[in-house]
Amino acid sequence: MKWKSLFEPIKIRELTLPNRVMMGSMHLGIEGVPEKEEAMISFYTERAGEYGPGLMVTGGISVSPEGDGGHHFLGFYREKDLTTMKRLTTRVHQAGGRIAAQLFHAGRYAYSELTGIPAVAPSPIRSPIHRETPTELTELDILNLLESYAEAGRKAKEVGFDAVEIMGSEGYLINQFMSPATNKRTDYWGGSFEKRTRFPLAVLNAVRKAVGDDYPIIYRLSGMDLVPNSTTHEETLAFAKLVEENDADVLNIGIGWHESTTPTISMMVPRAGFIQIALDIKEKVSIPVIGSNRINDPVLADDLLQQLDMVSMARPFLADPNLLHKSQAQSLDQINTCIACNQACLDHAFEGKAVSCLVNPRAGREYKWVYKKASERKKVLVVGGGVAGLESARAHAELGHSVVLYEASDSIGGQFNLARQIPIKKEFDETVRYYTTELKRLGVSISLNHKPSTEDLLNHSPDLVVIATGVVPRKPIIPGVEFAIPYPDVLSGRATVGKKVIIIGAGGIGCDLSHYLIERGDHEILMLRRNGRMGEGLGKTTKWAMLQDLKKHGVKFRTNLHYEEITEEGLVITDGETNNKEFLKADAVILAAGQESNLPQEYDRLTEKGIQVAVIGGARLAGELDAKRAIYEGAKIAFEPQSIPTTQR
């Protein structure tokens, strides 16, 4: 295809960007950790260069100690962190890239148990997702903060950042001043719309004065707060105009607060689902406007650039550092597309872990998982074409090894082929497409409809056999279980169900099944589990939205029970509280009660013959389906062969 605008340069003050894509701010969970400095720098330098994003923005860098988001944050007030930042900008520039620092203050989102300092905010109003009520900022505190922002801007310029982004979105401190929901002040800094804009504009003016007229300032503006009684649409448009008038160079439009009950960046959200607010703001201002949220496709990005000046693609660069390089080369089918699962990125960030990517576990590990052809070319056989096996085959082939992949069914993808049937998980199509393309490009030999025997494998004289045979549904011991339908039969279309449905199992698979059935008809769904909560095992940042959607569609849930018998007409249970037996009538009872490893014992003979064997993914450890671990293990044994138990041939 012919790109219309994606690779057009854009000039912001004295800074020229070679394309219209910004890699938006992402906290990596390794900032400020001395032993992880090289990991952080390598992450950015791999994404810099001739075909990298026009501009990269760091994760938030705190302007003052109480504004830290946690332990793993850089701070402009720490000299050792300034040294790290200087190394970062130097390496990015050597790689040919451009990088901006995000000036950050968490406000009431800060955790005093991590910072050792009470959280502060415009008013002492606790966030619903925090335990702590923040301390109200005094007039002197506010003036000191303005100086902290100015000093952070000065230092950002001094250590070599090409621009700064003022974080005024996502419910952090500046956004808290803007919102009537969190700013209840009656002094100069709060009350009317005009007064609520004073602190954000004062920050902008302080930073502009500190960095000078030649230095680019991006303002991250909240297009929609998505919290009750907050900034109105009309106020947002008026504020955007004020930000322009106060000398910002670019508006980057953010969506939603962390406490919002509206999903904004999960796969439940359509691609570019919130772009209209950026378009509305674009009509009101003359400076460049950046659209963001769920833009993971360069073709979509190019289309949006017919109305906007730039697009922000953050997590897509976790999934594929070479996204734009592949786009420039017209190799779109080789792009490892972000599926917005949140499992290794946002879930990790909110759990205080290092950020990576489910579909690209090299993210954050670039410094040690280096693409370098192996000195010794090995013969690698992979048994199983689910995502664990696919990643192992891809990674080994990328490192120069000869790879043969066996898959017992007629297509690769494994459990992803079932997940793709779930309406909110259509993005999984992209992952299967990526592996299909990559294995062909890398010359991996794929043998479908073939479950190899031990003799088949030995005939290849392999150096390594990877067992990635996945899982099979667990069949619980319940009288009459033969009357129940295994979940794969429903998701594959082999079985149909009536209106009244009972699902045994209320974890991730049970929730997916419910979404699948809701999309396909009018069903009365009851999810059951012996004990525990609905949706256990789902990710922190997506669980609440999925359960909220199921409840909205009338899905019911019961726990604390015992299964007595499944019949053709339904299910007999014993209630754990009353000890009474109940008959639950149903047109279908579906089993979604976990997994068991599918590890053929016949392959034990391989180790007896001295063949090195690696067991990965569900074959190694069953439970809830865990694509993140499966893909990670597939990559790890390629990049870290020393991690495989050694056997001698």
Side-chain angles (χ1 to χ4, degrees):
M1 66 169 293
K2 184 176 181 181
W3 299 109
K4 300 183 286 289
S5 302
L6 199 66
F7 294 99
E8 282 187 3
I10 183 171
K11 190 172 184 181
I12 306 171
R13 298 222 176 215
E14 299 304 311
L15 176 65
T16 299
L17 308 181
N19 59 61
R20 299 299 180 106
V21 178
M22 182 175 83
M23 187 179 89
S25 173
M26 292 179 286
H27 187 63
L28 302 179
I30 53 177
E31 295 89 341
V33 182
E35 60 270 24
K36 294 292 185 179
E37 180 179 303
E38 183 57 33
M40 182 190 70
I41 293 175
S42 295
F43 173 85
Y44 286 106
T45 53
E46 179 154 318
R47 287 154 179 82
E50 182 180 1
Y51 297 109
L55 182 68
M56 300 182 292
V57 184
T58 66
I61 304 178
S62 305
V63 301
S64 59
E66 80 288 345
D68 267 357
H71 287 314
H72 305 320
F73 270 69
L74 291 170
F76 281 109
Y77 53 89
R78 285 191 288 258
E79 284 298 321
K80 67 180 181 64
D81 288 354
L82 294 173
T83 302
T84 296
M85 293 181 221
K86 181 62 179 177
R87 293 193 191 105
L88 170 63
T89 58
T90 299
R91 292 268 296 277
V92 166
H93 293 153
Q94 288 172 346
R98 295 142 301 279
I99 188 166
Q102 187 183 82
L103 311 187
F104 175 89
H105 192 295
R108 71 176 188 164
Y109 280 164
Y111 291 91
S112 63
E113 61 264 36
L114 297 180
T115 65
I117 308 169
V120 299
S123 299
I125 302 172
R126 183 180 65 83
S127 163
I129 60 174
H130 276 56
R131 296 186 299 272
E132 178 181 355
T133 298
T135 300
E136 181 172 286
L137 290 159
T138 67
E139 174 81 13
L140 181 59
D141 292 333
I142 291 172
L143 296 177
N144 286 336
L145 268 175
L146 293 176
E147 181 54 36
S148 294
Y149 273 101
E151 185 68 10
R154 273 193 292 272
K155 289 177 177 176
K157 187 176 181 180
E158 287 173 4
V159 298
F161 285 108
D162 299 285
V164 291
E165 178 179 78
I166 296 172
M167 179 38 128
S169 184
E170 270 72 20
Y172 293 114
L173 180 69
I174 295 175
N175 207 174
Q176 293 161 25
F177 268 95
M178 265 297 298
S179 172
T182 47
N183 186 347
K184 303 294 185 182
R185 303 177 73 99
T186 57
D187 61 0
Y188 179 83
W189 303 102
S192 66
F193 169 70
E194 178 192 359
K195 289 183 176 181
R196 284 185 279 113
T197 67
R198 284 175 174 169
F199 181 75
L201 296 178
V203 169
L204 175 55
N205 288 321
V207 174
R208 171 56 69 201
K209 184 176 179 181
V211 299
D213 293 335
D214 62 339
Y215 195 72
I217 298 177
I218 303 164
Y219 191 95
R220 173 80 167 173
L221 185 147
S222 181
M224 302 172 73
D225 293 344
L226 298 176
V227 295
N229 306 311
S230 198
T231 310
T232 67
H233 181 66
E234 292 73 23
E235 288 175 337
T236 297
L237 297 180
F239 180 61
K241 188 65 180 173
L242 289 172
V243 172
E244 176 185 27
E245 292 170 355
N246 281 268
D247 226 12
D249 299 301
V250 181
L251 292 175
N252 180 19
I253 310 305
I255 303 294
W257 290 20
H258 293 310
E259 63 205 64
S260 169
T261 57
T262 301
T264 58
I265 52 177
S266 74
M267 66 175 69
M268 297 178 69
V269 179
R271 293 183 179 183
F274 291 95
I275 205 65
Q276 187 58 50
I277 182 59
L279 298 175
D280 292 347
I281 290 171
K282 177 62 181 171
E283 291 183 359
K284 299 294 183 181
V285 301
S286 57
I287 59 175
V289 174
I290 304 173
S292 66
N293 283 62
R294 285 289 281 125
I295 303 170
N296 65 348
D297 172 24
V299 176
L300 170 61
D302 196 46
D303 288 342
L304 295 174
L305 288 170
Q306 304 320 296
Q307 297 173 278
L308 294 167
D309 302 282
M310 293 184 71
V311 294
S312 174
M313 301 173 77
R315 293 175 300 165
F317 285 101
L318 277 175
D320 198 329
N322 298 308
L323 186 154
L324 288 181
H325 193 180
K326 294 173 182 177
S327 301
Q328 183 87 318
Q330 300 292 331
S331 300
L332 301 183
D333 58 347
Q334 293 180 21
I335 293 173
N336 194 2
T337 301
C338 167
I339 60 175
C341 66
N342 294 0
Q343 292 182 36
C345 51
L346 287 171
D347 284 353
H348 279 205
F350 284 107
E351 292 167 4
K353 299 177 181 177
V355 163
S356 187
C357 177
L358 181 145
V359 299
N360 174 29
R362 264 194 84 240
R365 300 181 176 94
E366 294 86 356
Y367 72 107
K368 64 176 182 177
W369 286 8
V370 179
Y371 279 132
K372 181 181 179 182
K373 295 299 181 184
S375 56
E376 178 187 355
R377 191 169 193 252
K378 295 181 179 180
K379 182 76 171 184
V380 179
L381 306 182
V382 180
V383 184
V387 291
L390 293 174
E391 176 58 23
S392 185
R394 186 208 65 81
H396 278 101
E398 191 76 77
L399 295 175
H401 301 298
S402 172
V403 182
V404 176
L405 173 72
Y406 293 97
E407 167 54 39
S409 72
D410 60 1
S411 62
I412 63 170
Q415 294 286 331
F416 260 42
N417 288 327
L418 296 178
R420 292 161 65 188
Q421 307 307 313
I422 313 302
I424 60 173
K425 293 189 173 180
K426 292 303 291 179
E427 292 284 11
F428 282 38
D429 289 349
E430 301 288 358
T431 305
V432 177
R433 180 265 310 153
Y434 166 73
Y435 279 121
T436 300
T437 301
E438 284 299 276
L439 297 193
K440 181 179 180 180
R441 179 182 70 84
L442 293 166
V444 173
S445 175
I446 300 176
S447 181
L448 299 175
N449 296 306
H450 189 172
K451 181 182 177 181
S453 66
T454 300
E455 285 69 27
D456 289 336
L457 301 175
L458 290 172
N459 286 339
H460 284 278
S461 299
D463 297 291
L464 171 66
V465 174
V466 180
I467 308 299
T469 43
V471 296
V472 292
R474 188 175 71 85
K475 193 172 183 179
I477 302 174
I478 305 172
V481 71
E482 66 273 10
F483 293 117
I485 305 171
Y487 75 86
D489 290 0
V490 179
L491 293 178
S492 64
R494 293 192 298 268
T496 57
V497 299
K499 180 173 182 176
K500 201 173 185 68
V501 177
I502 291 175
I503 299 175
I504 293 178
I509 298 169
C511 291
D512 281 349
L513 264 172
S514 295
H515 280 108
Y516 175 86
L517 293 172
I518 289 166
E519 180 74 11
R520 280 160 176 75
D522 180 21
H523 295 283
E524 295 177 13
I525 302 171
L526 173 63
M527 298 174 66
L528 305 176
R529 67 182 309 165
R530 285 193 173 94
N531 50 64
R533 297 180 179 180
M534 182 176 176
E536 283 187 7
L538 293 173
K540 182 182 181 70
T541 60
T542 52
K543 174 181 175 179
W544 64 268
M546 292 185 70
L547 298 187
Q548 178 178 269
D549 189 61
L550 292 179
K551 290 172 184 176
K552 183 180 75 173
H553 285 91
V555 174
K556 293 181 170 55
F557 169 66
R558 287 185 63 175
T559 187
N560 191 14
L561 50 86
H562 180 72
Y563 305 119
E564 299 292 344
E565 182 182 9
I566 302 171
T567 72
E568 293 185 87
E569 290 77 34
L571 173 67
V572 181
I573 66 166
T574 296
D575 185 283
E577 293 184 6
T578 66
N579 210 33
N580 293 331
K581 284 190 178 182
E582 297 180 40
F583 176 69
L584 306 176
K585 185 174 176 56
D587 298 310
V589 176
I590 306 174
L591 295 177
Q595 322 293 320
E596 294 176 347
S597 293
N598 179 30
L599 184 57
Q601 290 186 350
E602 65 180 286
Y603 295 146
D604 292 347
R605 291 175 50 209
L606 292 169
T607 54
E608 295 170 6
K609 296 288 186 179
I611 302 296
Q612 188 176 41
V613 175
V615 181
I616 62 173
R620 186 181 73 83
L621 181 65
E624 278 292 325
L625 299 180
D626 191 349
K628 178 181 70 172
R629 177 177 59 82
I631 295 175
Y632 165 75
E633 290 178 356
K636 182 180 180 181
I637 61 170
F639 288 105
E640 300 181 23
Q642 69 276 13
S643 67
I644 306 170
T646 303
T647 56
Q648 298 298 320
R649 291 185 58 190

